[in-house]
Amino acid sequence: MQYLVQPGGALRGRLRVPGDKSISHRAVILGALAEGVTEVRGLLEGADVLATIAAFRAMGVEIEGPREGWLRIHGVGLRGLQAPQAPLDCGNSGTAMRLLAGVLAGQPFASSLTGDESLQRRPMGRVIDPLQAMGARITSKEGRAPLQIEGATLHGIDYVLPMASAQVKSAILLAGLYAEGRTCVQEPAPTRDHSERMLRGFGYTLEQEPLRACLQGGGALQGQAIDVPADISSATFFLLGATIAPDSDLLLENVGINPTRTGVIEILTRMGARIDLTQLREVGGEPVADIRVRSAKLQGIDIPPRLVPLAIDEFPAIFVAAACAEGQTRVREAAELRVKESDRIAVMAAGLRSLGIKVEESADGALIHGGSLTGGTVDSHGDHRIAMSFAMAALRSQEPIQILDCENVATSFPTFPELARQAGLDLAQVNP
Ligand code: S3P
């Protein structure tokens, strides 16, 4: 499926983007492993989260829904999962595969994890290594999926993460629930802490210091009611669009603003964006706000590397913002972007170049020269966030933008075309 987006227009009104993907995965996982019922509202019904739901159903967990963001999970307790009869298919989802690997490593049964072409190219050694150090028995295709996981008895470890990755941190903490003794993870920079917050919400004791979390195996999780805020990573496309399109004024409701996720707000604000947070509140252990964004003139900046992990999923949108800014924007210490759903440095550089923007690529980032977007055809390489970012770029292009390979938008934001049109983007979906 392709998008054909007409140039120009403005984004106006108010809208609520779907639930946070990271929090939705974790709600399903902890709900399944808890004792009693977990009821979720605001769940993201994207393909990635549906893969996690299907995996737990395949392991004997009864799950009602999802319906309009509602889900009821009948938790089986930490020891209640049953052996799946077939490989668990994580689709396009790195979060599903890495977090499930953590859960499955400590089960008394064998299982296997697989995924689509993109997921089979992504590095899994980063979870296999620490899990093996805990006693897990995992085989892979040279550090890539499919993964075969044999049942094993785990022991705690004290693990220093070699990269800033919330997925790896979470996989180890989940395995730690099954391990004898204490499991600690230490990260080189702050990454999203939804697992830590939700584990505590489910009544699990966690010792936390800055950049470090520890837990003792053998406890229990208690089923909870969970309200999932709107996903700031999905809101980002609208922050981008309303900033770059003249005469825009948009209100995004109920967005999660966990400080480990708000790097994009800081980066866009430093570039000159007009973004205001109102109605700040806390919902289910996560900070939430309404976000107002209005058109602004952007300036290129040198993006501080400390903000990279805090905006890790937002770089496709930030690259487009940089293309619309005056002057140069430098991204560095962002090599992790090369191992996302696509190589986001290479794919964004190629896409922007085909729209007439000068981009110099480096191993760990890029230098983007602000300019004017012509229009033309870009290949998203099946990367949802790249497809949505280029759709917004049309608000400032001279000619239409055609975007190839957009079906994976359904992994994180199935209602994107609808909501974007409602806000004022002239987007058509085309089946070639
Ligand atoms: C996620 C962590 C990040 C992020 C991904 C979701 C999570 O990945 O890019 O979209 O839910 O924990 P890494 O841990 O690989 O940085």
Side-chain angles (χ1 to χ4, degrees):
M1 195 247 296
Q2 305 178 352
Y3 289 167
L4 183 62
V5 196
Q6 298 303 319
L11 300 187
R12 303 186 67 86
R14 54 162 64 215
L15 56 96
R16 186 178 288 223
V17 301
D20 188 276
K21 181 150 70 77
S22 292
I23 297 175
S24 296
H25 279 295
R26 287 157 173 81
V28 175
I29 295 170
L30 295 191
L33 301 180
E35 282 157 26
V37 171
T38 287
E39 203 161 297
V40 188
R41 283 173 206 282
L43 183 92
L44 168 67
E45 294 181 41
D48 280 11
V49 176
L50 298 181
T52 295
I53 293 174
F56 282 99
R57 283 191 175 132
M59 292 188 282
V61 181
E62 188 194 335
I63 302 176
E64 299 171 65
R67 267 195 304 280
E68 290 165 22
W70 173 88
L71 193 73
R72 184 185 284 143
I73 309 157
H74 298 266
V76 295
L78 281 171
R79 303 284 168 192
L81 295 178
Q82 293 162 20
Q85 298 303 305
L88 301 171
D89 187 355
C90 301
N92 192 243
S93 177
T95 306
M97 182 165 290
R98 296 197 178 111
L99 271 56
L100 281 170
V103 172
L104 294 171
Q107 300 300 326
F109 53 77
S111 56
S112 65
L113 291 170
T114 188
D116 72 5
E117 250 173 71
S118 150
L119 189 52
Q120 290 188 34
R121 280 194 299 267
R122 298 179 65 187
M124 293 299 147
R126 52 180 62 197
V127 287
I128 297 172
D129 294 346
L131 293 174
Q132 281 177 338
M134 297 174 80
R137 295 188 299 158
I138 305 178
T139 53
S140 69
K141 247 171 63 192
E142 290 168 17
R144 309 266 188 283
L147 308 183
Q148 308 294 336
I149 304 176
E150 303 302 326
T153 307
L154 305 182
H155 51 82
I157 47 164
D158 195 330
Y159 191 70
V160 179
L161 293 171
M163 77 290 289
S165 166
Q167 291 177 356
V168 178
K169 171 175 68 174
S170 302
I172 298 168
L173 289 174
L174 288 168
L177 299 174
Y178 292 92
E180 280 165 24
R182 196 170 132 94
T183 297
C184 296
V185 281
Q186 187 151 331
E187 46 188 4
T191 64
R192 64 192 69 196
D193 63 355
H194 307 299
S195 298
E196 296 92 308
R197 286 175 188 254
M198 205 180 282
L199 280 165
R200 273 192 270 122
F202 275 75
Y204 213 92
T205 306
L206 216 67
E207 297 156 53
Q208 279 184 276
E209 294 165 40
L211 301 180
R212 191 173 162 82
C214 299
L215 57 74
Q216 201 72 38
L221 301 165
Q222 298 306 326
Q224 292 298 309
I226 296 177
D227 251 310
V228 182
D231 197 328
I232 189 167
S233 297
S234 297
T236 289
F237 307 108
F238 292 91
L239 296 179
L240 166 69
T243 296
I244 63 175
D247 297 321
S248 294
D249 188 349
L250 200 58
L251 189 77
L252 298 158
E253 295 172 346
N254 202 48
V255 183
I257 51 157
N258 180 313
T260 59
R261 297 286 300 280
T262 48
V264 65
I265 295 180
E266 188 168 342
I267 291 167
L268 291 177
T269 303
R270 280 171 179 244
M271 295 175 77
R274 288 202 291 169
I275 297 174
D276 299 300
L277 305 190
T278 57
Q279 310 285 328
L280 275 78
R281 55 208 185 264
E282 197 169 295
V283 180
E286 291 279 350
V288 168
D290 293 345
I291 305 182
R292 183 178 181 196
V293 52
R294 286 171 280 179
S295 327
K297 210 166 134 32
L298 296 179
Q299 285 294 327
I301 60 165
D302 196 345
I303 297 176
R306 71 165 181 88
L307 293 176
V308 170
L310 308 179
I312 194 64
D313 290 338
E314 283 60 80
F315 279 89
I318 292 166
F319 273 55
V320 172
C324 298
E326 203 177 284
Q328 304 174 356
T329 296
R330 184 183 301 279
V331 180
R332 56 198 166 89
E333 294 183 36
E336 277 293 303
L337 296 177
R338 294 203 182 271
V339 292
K340 294 296 176 187
E341 287 82 327
S342 71
D343 176 341
R344 286 184 171 159
I345 297 175
V347 175
M348 285 308 300
L352 286 175
R353 282 186 201 120
S354 57
L355 300 179
I357 298 295
K358 187 172 165 204
V359 184
E360 293 164 62
E361 214 181 303
S362 60
D364 70 345
L367 182 66
I368 303 137
H369 299 257
S372 60
L373 296 162
T374 51
T377 300
V378 297
D379 190 340
S380 78
H381 287 266
D383 187 319
H384 56 136
R385 301 200 194 281
I386 288 180
M388 291 184 272
S389 298
F390 279 117
M392 290 298 177
L395 291 160
R396 275 278 285 275
S397 67
Q398 287 140 26
E399 301 290 329
I401 299 183
Q402 179 191 31
I403 306 156
L404 309 181
D405 207 356
C406 295
E407 32 303 289
N408 278 339
V409 167
T411 60
S412 68
F413 198 164
T415 53
F416 173 75
E418 224 168 290
L419 288 187
R421 278 193 290 265
Q422 251 172 50
L425 191 71
D426 187 346
L427 179 154
Q429 286 156 276
V430 189
N431 285 309

PDB file of all heavy atoms in Angstrom, residues 21-22 26 95 98 122 126 164-168 170 192 312-313 336 340-341 385, ligand 1:
ATOM      1  N   LYS A  21       2.483   2.364  22.656  1.00  0.00           N
ATOM      2  CA  LYS A  21       2.835   1.003  22.247  1.00  0.00           C
ATOM      3  C   LYS A  21       3.653   0.302  23.324  1.00  0.00           C
ATOM      4  O   LYS A  21       3.374  -0.852  23.667  1.00  0.00           O
ATOM      5  CB  LYS A  21       3.615   1.068  20.923  1.00  0.00           C
ATOM      6  CG  LYS A  21       4.015  -0.284  20.376  1.00  0.00           C
ATOM      7  CD  LYS A  21       4.093  -0.287  18.868  1.00  0.00           C
ATOM      8  CE  LYS A  21       5.252   0.515  18.312  1.00  0.00           C
ATOM      9  NZ  LYS A  21       6.540  -0.194  18.422  1.00  0.00           N
ATOM     10  N   SER A  22       4.652   0.966  23.868  1.00  0.00           N
ATOM     11  CA  SER A  22       5.494   0.328  24.888  1.00  0.00           C
ATOM     12  C   SER A  22       4.664  -0.066  26.105  1.00  0.00           C
ATOM     13  O   SER A  22       4.813  -1.168  26.647  1.00  0.00           O
ATOM     14  CB  SER A  22       6.583   1.297  25.349  1.00  0.00           C
ATOM     15  OG  SER A  22       7.491   1.534  24.305  1.00  0.00           O
ATOM     16  N   ARG A  26       3.599  -3.955  27.625  1.00  0.00           N
ATOM     17  CA  ARG A  26       3.904  -4.315  29.013  1.00  0.00           C
ATOM     18  C   ARG A  26       2.650  -4.648  29.793  1.00  0.00           C
ATOM     19  O   ARG A  26       2.662  -5.510  30.680  1.00  0.00           O
ATOM     20  CB  ARG A  26       4.694  -3.172  29.673  1.00  0.00           C
ATOM     21  CG  ARG A  26       6.149  -3.120  29.152  1.00  0.00           C
ATOM     22  CD  ARG A  26       6.757  -1.759  29.321  1.00  0.00           C
ATOM     23  NE  ARG A  26       8.167  -1.684  28.989  1.00  0.00           N
ATOM     24  CZ  ARG A  26       8.667  -1.568  27.747  1.00  0.00           C
ATOM     25  NH1 ARG A  26       7.852  -1.539  26.697  1.00  0.00           N
ATOM     26  NH2 ARG A  26       9.968  -1.483  27.554  1.00  0.00           N
ATOM     27  N   THR A  95      10.013  -5.146  20.262  1.00  0.00           N
ATOM     28  CA  THR A  95       9.647  -5.154  21.689  1.00  0.00           C
ATOM     29  C   THR A  95       9.039  -6.502  22.059  1.00  0.00           C
ATOM     30  O   THR A  95       9.408  -7.099  23.079  1.00  0.00           O
ATOM     31  CB  THR A  95       8.640  -4.025  21.990  1.00  0.00           C
ATOM     32  OG1 THR A  95       9.197  -2.792  21.538  1.00  0.00           O
ATOM     33  CG2 THR A  95       8.354  -3.922  23.472  1.00  0.00           C
ATOM     34  N   ARG A  98      11.916  -9.219  22.080  1.00  0.00           N
ATOM     35  CA  ARG A  98      12.937  -9.129  23.133  1.00  0.00           C
ATOM     36  C   ARG A  98      12.322  -9.318  24.514  1.00  0.00           C
ATOM     37  O   ARG A  98      12.893  -9.998  25.370  1.00  0.00           O
ATOM     38  CB  ARG A  98      13.685  -7.805  23.003  1.00  0.00           C
ATOM     39  CG  ARG A  98      14.456  -7.742  21.652  1.00  0.00           C
ATOM     40  CD  ARG A  98      15.517  -6.667  21.644  1.00  0.00           C
ATOM     41  NE  ARG A  98      16.257  -6.660  20.383  1.00  0.00           N
ATOM     42  CZ  ARG A  98      16.181  -5.688  19.461  1.00  0.00           C
ATOM     43  NH1 ARG A  98      15.400  -4.630  19.660  1.00  0.00           N
ATOM     44  NH2 ARG A  98      16.907  -5.743  18.357  1.00  0.00           N
ATOM     45  N   ARG A 122      17.171  -8.021  12.616  1.00  0.00           N
ATOM     46  CA  ARG A 122      17.586  -7.169  13.746  1.00  0.00           C
ATOM     47  C   ARG A 122      18.388  -7.950  14.785  1.00  0.00           C
ATOM     48  O   ARG A 122      18.186  -9.145  14.972  1.00  0.00           O
ATOM     49  CB  ARG A 122      16.347  -6.495  14.353  1.00  0.00           C
ATOM     50  CG  ARG A 122      15.675  -5.581  13.321  1.00  0.00           C
ATOM     51  CD  ARG A 122      14.446  -4.918  13.864  1.00  0.00           C
ATOM     52  NE  ARG A 122      14.752  -4.005  14.943  1.00  0.00           N
ATOM     53  CZ  ARG A 122      13.825  -3.389  15.676  1.00  0.00           C
ATOM     54  NH1 ARG A 122      12.538  -3.604  15.428  1.00  0.00           N
ATOM     55  NH2 ARG A 122      14.181  -2.558  16.636  1.00  0.00           N
ATOM     56  N   ARG A 126      21.942  -9.025  21.722  1.00  0.00           N
ATOM     57  CA  ARG A 126      21.890  -8.122  22.879  1.00  0.00           C
ATOM     58  C   ARG A 126      20.979  -8.632  23.994  1.00  0.00           C
ATOM     59  O   ARG A 126      21.157  -8.244  25.152  1.00  0.00           O
ATOM     60  CB  ARG A 126      21.469  -6.724  22.415  1.00  0.00           C
ATOM     61  CG  ARG A 126      20.196  -6.721  21.595  1.00  0.00           C
ATOM     62  CD  ARG A 126      19.781  -5.333  21.146  1.00  0.00           C
ATOM     63  NE  ARG A 126      20.760  -4.676  20.279  1.00  0.00           N
ATOM     64  CZ  ARG A 126      20.776  -3.368  20.028  1.00  0.00           C
ATOM     65  NH1 ARG A 126      19.869  -2.580  20.573  1.00  0.00           N
ATOM     66  NH2 ARG A 126      21.671  -2.848  19.243  1.00  0.00           N
ATOM     67  N   ALA A 164      22.222   1.776  25.296  1.00  0.00           N
ATOM     68  CA  ALA A 164      21.013   2.282  25.954  1.00  0.00           C
ATOM     69  C   ALA A 164      19.815   1.619  25.281  1.00  0.00           C
ATOM     70  O   ALA A 164      19.429   2.002  24.185  1.00  0.00           O
ATOM     71  CB  ALA A 164      20.944   3.797  25.816  1.00  0.00           C
ATOM     72  N   SER A 165      19.229   0.607  25.919  1.00  0.00           N
ATOM     73  CA  SER A 165      18.097  -0.096  25.326  1.00  0.00           C
ATOM     74  C   SER A 165      17.098  -0.522  26.388  1.00  0.00           C
ATOM     75  O   SER A 165      17.395  -1.357  27.242  1.00  0.00           O
ATOM     76  CB  SER A 165      18.561  -1.334  24.561  1.00  0.00           C
ATOM     77  OG  SER A 165      17.445  -2.162  24.269  1.00  0.00           O
ATOM     78  N   ALA A 166      15.902   0.043  26.292  1.00  0.00           N
ATOM     79  CA  ALA A 166      14.845  -0.319  27.242  1.00  0.00           C
ATOM     80  C   ALA A 166      14.357  -1.737  27.002  1.00  0.00           C
ATOM     81  O   ALA A 166      13.892  -2.404  27.935  1.00  0.00           O
ATOM     82  CB  ALA A 166      13.683   0.659  27.118  1.00  0.00           C
ATOM     83  N   GLN A 167      14.467  -2.202  25.760  1.00  0.00           N
ATOM     84  CA  GLN A 167      14.020  -3.571  25.486  1.00  0.00           C
ATOM     85  C   GLN A 167      14.935  -4.574  26.172  1.00  0.00           C
ATOM     86  O   GLN A 167      14.472  -5.549  26.759  1.00  0.00           O
ATOM     87  CB  GLN A 167      13.987  -3.822  23.977  1.00  0.00           C
ATOM     88  CG  GLN A 167      12.893  -3.024  23.289  1.00  0.00           C
ATOM     89  CD  GLN A 167      12.898  -3.203  21.789  1.00  0.00           C
ATOM     90  OE1 GLN A 167      13.768  -3.870  21.226  1.00  0.00           O
ATOM     91  NE2 GLN A 167      11.920  -2.605  21.123  1.00  0.00           N
ATOM     92  N   VAL A 168      16.238  -4.342  26.093  1.00  0.00           N
ATOM     93  CA  VAL A 168      17.179  -5.265  26.723  1.00  0.00           C
ATOM     94  C   VAL A 168      17.022  -5.193  28.246  1.00  0.00           C
ATOM     95  O   VAL A 168      16.936  -6.224  28.931  1.00  0.00           O
ATOM     96  CB  VAL A 168      18.623  -4.951  26.288  1.00  0.00           C
ATOM     97  CG1 VAL A 168      19.595  -5.894  26.980  1.00  0.00           C
ATOM     98  CG2 VAL A 168      18.760  -5.062  24.772  1.00  0.00           C
ATOM     99  N   SER A 170      14.405  -4.425  29.911  1.00  0.00           N
ATOM    100  CA  SER A 170      13.142  -5.051  30.299  1.00  0.00           C
ATOM    101  C   SER A 170      13.212  -6.565  30.203  1.00  0.00           C
ATOM    102  O   SER A 170      12.669  -7.279  31.052  1.00  0.00           O
ATOM    103  CB  SER A 170      12.011  -4.544  29.398  1.00  0.00           C
ATOM    104  OG  SER A 170      11.926  -3.138  29.495  1.00  0.00           O
ATOM    105  N   ARG A 192      13.515   4.535  28.458  1.00  0.00           N
ATOM    106  CA  ARG A 192      12.129   4.499  28.952  1.00  0.00           C
ATOM    107  C   ARG A 192      12.001   3.522  30.114  1.00  0.00           C
ATOM    108  O   ARG A 192      12.543   2.407  30.071  1.00  0.00           O
ATOM    109  CB  ARG A 192      11.157   4.179  27.815  1.00  0.00           C
ATOM    110  CG  ARG A 192      11.310   2.832  27.199  1.00  0.00           C
ATOM    111  CD  ARG A 192      10.510   2.719  25.912  1.00  0.00           C
ATOM    112  NE  ARG A 192      11.095   3.549  24.867  1.00  0.00           N
ATOM    113  CZ  ARG A 192      10.484   3.913  23.739  1.00  0.00           C
ATOM    114  NH1 ARG A 192       9.252   3.521  23.497  1.00  0.00           N
ATOM    115  NH2 ARG A 192      11.102   4.662  22.854  1.00  0.00           N
ATOM    116  N   ILE A 312      14.428   8.300  20.858  1.00  0.00           N
ATOM    117  CA  ILE A 312      15.006   7.318  19.929  1.00  0.00           C
ATOM    118  C   ILE A 312      14.065   6.961  18.778  1.00  0.00           C
ATOM    119  O   ILE A 312      14.525   6.716  17.669  1.00  0.00           O
ATOM    120  CB  ILE A 312      15.501   6.054  20.691  1.00  0.00           C
ATOM    121  CG1 ILE A 312      16.389   5.193  19.793  1.00  0.00           C
ATOM    122  CG2 ILE A 312      14.353   5.249  21.279  1.00  0.00           C
ATOM    123  CD1 ILE A 312      17.676   5.836  19.365  1.00  0.00           C
ATOM    124  N   ASP A 313      12.755   6.949  19.015  1.00  0.00           N
ATOM    125  CA  ASP A 313      11.831   6.575  17.932  1.00  0.00           C
ATOM    126  C   ASP A 313      11.399   7.782  17.096  1.00  0.00           C
ATOM    127  O   ASP A 313      10.666   7.625  16.117  1.00  0.00           O
ATOM    128  CB  ASP A 313      10.590   5.895  18.514  1.00  0.00           C
ATOM    129  CG  ASP A 313      10.926   4.516  19.059  1.00  0.00           C
ATOM    130  OD1 ASP A 313      11.941   3.930  18.636  1.00  0.00           O
ATOM    131  OD2 ASP A 313      10.173   4.020  19.922  1.00  0.00           O
ATOM    132  N   GLU A 336      22.236   3.544  17.066  1.00  0.00           N
ATOM    133  CA  GLU A 336      21.096   2.633  17.304  1.00  0.00           C
ATOM    134  C   GLU A 336      20.023   2.782  16.227  1.00  0.00           C
ATOM    135  O   GLU A 336      19.256   1.854  15.971  1.00  0.00           O
ATOM    136  CB  GLU A 336      20.487   2.907  18.690  1.00  0.00           C
ATOM    137  CG  GLU A 336      21.220   2.222  19.834  1.00  0.00           C
ATOM    138  CD  GLU A 336      21.110   0.704  19.801  1.00  0.00           C
ATOM    139  OE1 GLU A 336      19.982   0.194  19.814  1.00  0.00           O
ATOM    140  OE2 GLU A 336      22.151   0.024  19.735  1.00  0.00           O
ATOM    141  N   LYS A 340      16.885  -0.228  13.853  1.00  0.00           N
ATOM    142  CA  LYS A 340      15.445  -0.166  14.139  1.00  0.00           C
ATOM    143  C   LYS A 340      14.696  -0.946  13.046  1.00  0.00           C
ATOM    144  O   LYS A 340      15.289  -1.750  12.348  1.00  0.00           O
ATOM    145  CB  LYS A 340      14.994   1.299  14.228  1.00  0.00           C
ATOM    146  CG  LYS A 340      15.605   2.036  15.418  1.00  0.00           C
ATOM    147  CD  LYS A 340      15.140   1.441  16.721  1.00  0.00           C
ATOM    148  CE  LYS A 340      15.811   2.091  17.912  1.00  0.00           C
ATOM    149  NZ  LYS A 340      15.466   1.387  19.167  1.00  0.00           N
ATOM    150  N   GLU A 341      13.397  -0.670  12.863  1.00  0.00           N
ATOM    151  CA  GLU A 341      12.602  -1.408  11.885  1.00  0.00           C
ATOM    152  C   GLU A 341      13.251  -1.341  10.496  1.00  0.00           C
ATOM    153  O   GLU A 341      13.048  -2.209   9.657  1.00  0.00           O
ATOM    154  CB  GLU A 341      11.164  -0.879  11.863  1.00  0.00           C
ATOM    155  CG  GLU A 341      10.341  -1.279  13.091  1.00  0.00           C
ATOM    156  CD  GLU A 341      10.549  -0.395  14.321  1.00  0.00           C
ATOM    157  OE1 GLU A 341      11.680   0.129  14.549  1.00  0.00           O
ATOM    158  OE2 GLU A 341       9.577  -0.238  15.086  1.00  0.00           O
ATOM    159  N   ARG A 385       7.334   4.433  10.966  1.00  0.00           N
ATOM    160  CA  ARG A 385       7.588   5.825  11.384  1.00  0.00           C
ATOM    161  C   ARG A 385       8.148   6.665  10.236  1.00  0.00           C
ATOM    162  O   ARG A 385       7.937   7.872  10.171  1.00  0.00           O
ATOM    163  CB  ARG A 385       8.522   5.852  12.590  1.00  0.00           C
ATOM    164  CG  ARG A 385       7.944   5.086  13.790  1.00  0.00           C
ATOM    165  CD  ARG A 385       8.572   5.485  15.094  1.00  0.00           C
ATOM    166  NE  ARG A 385       8.243   4.525  16.145  1.00  0.00           N
ATOM    167  CZ  ARG A 385       7.087   4.477  16.796  1.00  0.00           C
ATOM    168  NH1 ARG A 385       6.137   5.345  16.516  1.00  0.00           N
ATOM    169  NH2 ARG A 385       6.869   3.565  17.729  1.00  0.00           N
TER     170      ARG A 385
HETATM  171  C1  S3P B   1      11.034   0.156  23.183  1.00  0.00           C
HETATM  172  C2  S3P B   1      12.354   0.498  23.294  1.00  0.00           C
HETATM  173  C3  S3P B   1      13.132   1.114  22.200  1.00  0.00           C
HETATM  174  C4  S3P B   1      12.205   1.688  21.124  1.00  0.00           C
HETATM  175  C5  S3P B   1      11.109   0.740  20.760  1.00  0.00           C
HETATM  176  C6  S3P B   1      10.256   0.424  21.960  1.00  0.00           C
HETATM  177  C7  S3P B   1      10.369  -0.489  24.324  1.00  0.00           C
HETATM  178  O1  S3P B   1      13.945   0.138  21.600  1.00  0.00           O
HETATM  179  O2  S3P B   1      12.959   2.022  19.987  1.00  0.00           O
HETATM  180  O3  S3P B   1      10.290   1.296  19.753  1.00  0.00           O
HETATM  181  O4  S3P B   1       9.131  -0.603  24.329  1.00  0.00           O
HETATM  182  O5  S3P B   1      11.066  -0.889  25.258  1.00  0.00           O
HETATM  183  P1  S3P B   1      15.433  -0.193  22.128  1.00  0.00           P
HETATM  184  O6  S3P B   1      15.351  -0.822  23.448  1.00  0.00           O
HETATM  185  O7  S3P B   1      15.983  -1.147  21.083  1.00  0.00           O
HETATM  186  O8  S3P B   1      16.154   1.123  22.119  1.00  0.00           O
END
